[in-house]
Amino acid sequence: MAKRSLSSLSAEDLRGKRVLVRVDFNVPLNENGSISDDTRIRAALPTIKDLMDKGARIILAAHFGRPKGTVNESMRLTPVSKRLSELLAIDVQKTESCIGPDAQEKVQFLNNGEVVLLENVRFFSQEEKNETDFAKQLASLADVYVNDAFGAAHRAHASTEGVTNFLNPCVAGHLMEKELKYLQGAINDPRRPLAAIVGGSKVSSKIGVLETLIDKCDKVLIGGGMVFTFYKARGLSVGKSLVEEDKLDLAKALEAKAESQGVQLLLPDDVLLADDFSADANSQVASIESIPDGWMGLDIGPSSIKAFQQALSDCKTVIWNGPMGVFEFDKFAEGTNAIATTLAQLSANGCCTIIGGGDSVAAVEKAGLASQMSHISTGGGASLELLEGKVLPGVSALDDIK
């Protein structure tokens, strides 16, 4: 069911209203405690600025790290309020706690168009338990609810799901709306041919998404460490490459399913091997039929890169989730970088390219090509679950379009 979004609310609807906005500000910090990547903060700006322009009184709720229900001084949102103040060119106050007297007082004195940031909601164990009383206290600060935290939408927590029982309306923010449009659209109503590129080290973490993608896609390209489980299932020698022994039957079943449904399932035909898991390991290219003992595969090979590029050349929609190799080591990043470059070229020719969260996003950013993709998802687990066709609690709790 399509969800109502912030776009449906006018200045007349929002002026003077207290709006609780769930955002994803779980940003990385460097050793000095400063934010090293503010992408997630910037991603929420369109929603925050829209609410400011419409005269709302904005209350931001976010989590940071995993404090496990207790106050952790290193996980306070102080650096976030500082960065947000810089980006918005206003003073964004932070509360001492997300509920209680200080939060109530700071919200009470908000003027139209002003912003306050609630302290880390995960300092309370009731947040992740989605306890009703806690959700009610959080909701009592506001009149309207906006969820713009796609990265946390697969969790039924108090700030993502519980509060919707006490606030009305409950709508998707601009970032959430964009995520749903691209990810659901790619699966449910894509321009074809539709291809999915799935990488990463383990088949087990991508089982659900692989099964769904084989049902939905015209082509599925598989890279990363998980390919060796497929090779082992075929009876090939894989040296000391990563293999999930308990997933061999699953790998066979996935290949059989693709064949029976007429889906092109493409695995690399050559790999870049290393004699050690390190950035400066000795390396050699080998076909998948001749991987020597004592060597491990850390990237797809040059022949595979060409085959993958050829398979993608006529596609109108491409979803990418997971790197082709250990891209953190420059020596073993060529496959991942080649896919990123290919998708950027496809985007320029009108293909819809969707980077589905996690390491793929880091790889595209490292290659300096993020701005050339159609959509880069801000959610790792949430992206995967949506692509699997699962219902995300933080989305289902929002108002349906009537």
Side-chain angles (χ1 to χ4, degrees):
M1 180 64 111
K3 293 298 176 178
R4 194 174 176 195
S5 71
L6 178 57
S7 311
S8 71
L9 299 177
S10 66
E12 196 175 308
D13 296 321
L14 292 166
R15 192 174 294 111
K17 292 286 177 68
R18 299 167 303 157
V19 181
L20 179 65
V21 187
R22 181 57 161 95
V23 286
D24 183 2
F25 286 168
N26 194 23
V27 292
L29 301 180
N30 60 25
E31 60 275 5
N32 303 319
S34 301
I35 295 168
S36 56
D37 182 356
D38 65 0
T39 303
R40 286 178 169 171
I41 300 174
R42 288 176 180 276
L45 294 180
T47 290
I48 298 169
K49 286 179 177 177
D50 188 20
L51 287 165
M52 289 171 68
D53 291 343
K54 289 173 177 174
R57 302 174 183 191
I58 303 138
I59 306 151
L60 302 176
H63 75 276
F64 182 76
R66 293 179 178 169
K68 299 182 178 172
T70 57
V71 174
N72 182 320
E73 293 299 326
S74 68
M75 295 181 189
R76 288 196 178 274
L77 288 167
T78 310
V80 173
S81 64
K82 181 172 177 283
R83 183 66 184 125
L84 198 55
S85 296
E86 293 167 356
L87 291 168
L88 293 172
I90 61 169
D91 179 30
V92 177
Q93 289 195 69
K94 183 185 69 65
T95 63
E96 293 169 10
S97 173
C98 63
I99 56 172
D102 181 64
Q104 290 164 358
E105 186 178 330
K106 284 191 169 77
V107 168
Q108 184 184 341
F109 287 105
L110 275 178
N111 292 314
N112 294 3
E114 290 186 342
V115 182
V116 68
L117 174 64
L118 302 179
E119 185 54 277
N120 195 338
V121 290
R122 288 193 185 170
F123 282 174
F124 289 83
S125 61
Q126 298 96 314
E127 157 68 3
E128 293 185 76
K129 293 173 184 173
N130 197 7
E131 288 190 5
T132 303
D133 287 347
F134 177 75
K136 198 170 187 176
Q137 286 186 72
L138 208 50
S140 71
L141 297 169
D143 307 301
V144 175
Y145 178 71
V146 175
N147 192 343
D148 215 27
F150 178 72
H154 59 315
R155 308 291 188 205
H157 292 170
S159 66
T160 60
E161 197 271 343
V163 293
T164 64
N165 297 304
F166 307 103
L167 293 169
N168 182 46
C170 298
V171 302
H174 296 308
L175 176 63
M176 176 76 82
E177 184 182 19
K178 187 183 178 200
E179 292 276 16
L180 296 175
K181 173 190 161 192
Y182 273 98
L183 292 168
Q184 287 183 329
I187 288 297
N188 299 329
D189 188 25
R191 289 188 298 133
R192 292 185 182 275
L194 166 63
I197 309 163
V198 183
S201 58
K202 294 184 176 181
V203 184
S204 54
S205 62
K206 303 282 171 83
I207 294 169
V209 80
L210 278 170
E211 288 180 333
T212 302
L213 291 172
I214 288 170
D215 284 334
K216 302 278 188 178
C217 293
D218 303 295
K219 307 177 186 186
V220 177
L221 287 61
I222 299 179
M226 71 169 78
V227 300
F228 298 102
T229 299
F230 284 87
Y231 297 151
K232 184 80 181 280
R234 290 180 183 179
L236 296 172
S237 172
V238 296
K240 58 177 183 178
S241 305
L242 179 70
V243 170
E244 289 180 278
E245 297 287 348
D246 60 336
K247 296 292 180 285
L248 299 180
D249 288 341
L250 173 71
K252 287 178 189 172
L254 288 169
E255 287 208 66
K257 179 178 181 175
E259 188 174 354
S260 70
Q261 293 180 199
V263 174
Q264 185 182 356
L265 185 71
L266 207 59
L267 288 158
D269 57 17
D270 68 342
V271 287
L272 181 60
L273 301 169
D275 61 354
D276 186 36
F277 189 83
S278 65
D280 56 357
N282 295 311
S283 62
Q284 63 169 309
V285 174
S287 80
I288 61 168
E289 285 87 12
S290 56
I291 297 173
D293 290 344
W295 291 74
M296 65 183 82
L298 296 188
D299 196 10
I300 62 174
S303 171
S304 302
I305 290 171
K306 286 179 185 170
F308 281 19
Q309 288 170 329
Q310 180 61 39
L312 294 168
S313 62
D314 66 342
C315 291
K316 296 290 186 287
T317 308
V318 180
I319 304 163
W320 182 18
N321 184 285
M324 296 294 96
V326 186
F327 74 97
E328 297 87 349
F329 299 158
D330 288 346
K331 195 171 188 176
F332 304 102
E334 198 166 326
T336 299
N337 290 341
I339 293 297
T341 303
T342 300
L343 294 194
Q345 291 164 350
L346 288 171
S347 293
N349 293 327
C351 176
C352 178
T353 52
I354 299 165
I355 314 302
D359 285 342
S360 311
V361 176
V364 167
E365 287 175 346
K366 189 179 177 190
L369 296 169
S371 63
Q372 296 178 49
M373 305 301 166
S374 307
H375 178 64
I376 292 191
S377 181
T378 55
S383 304
L384 272 181
E385 290 196 18
L386 196 65
L387 290 173
E388 283 179 44
K390 288 183 178 176
V391 174
L392 306 186
V395 175
S396 63
L398 301 175
D399 297 348
D400 296 327
I401 294 175
K402 294 186 172 67

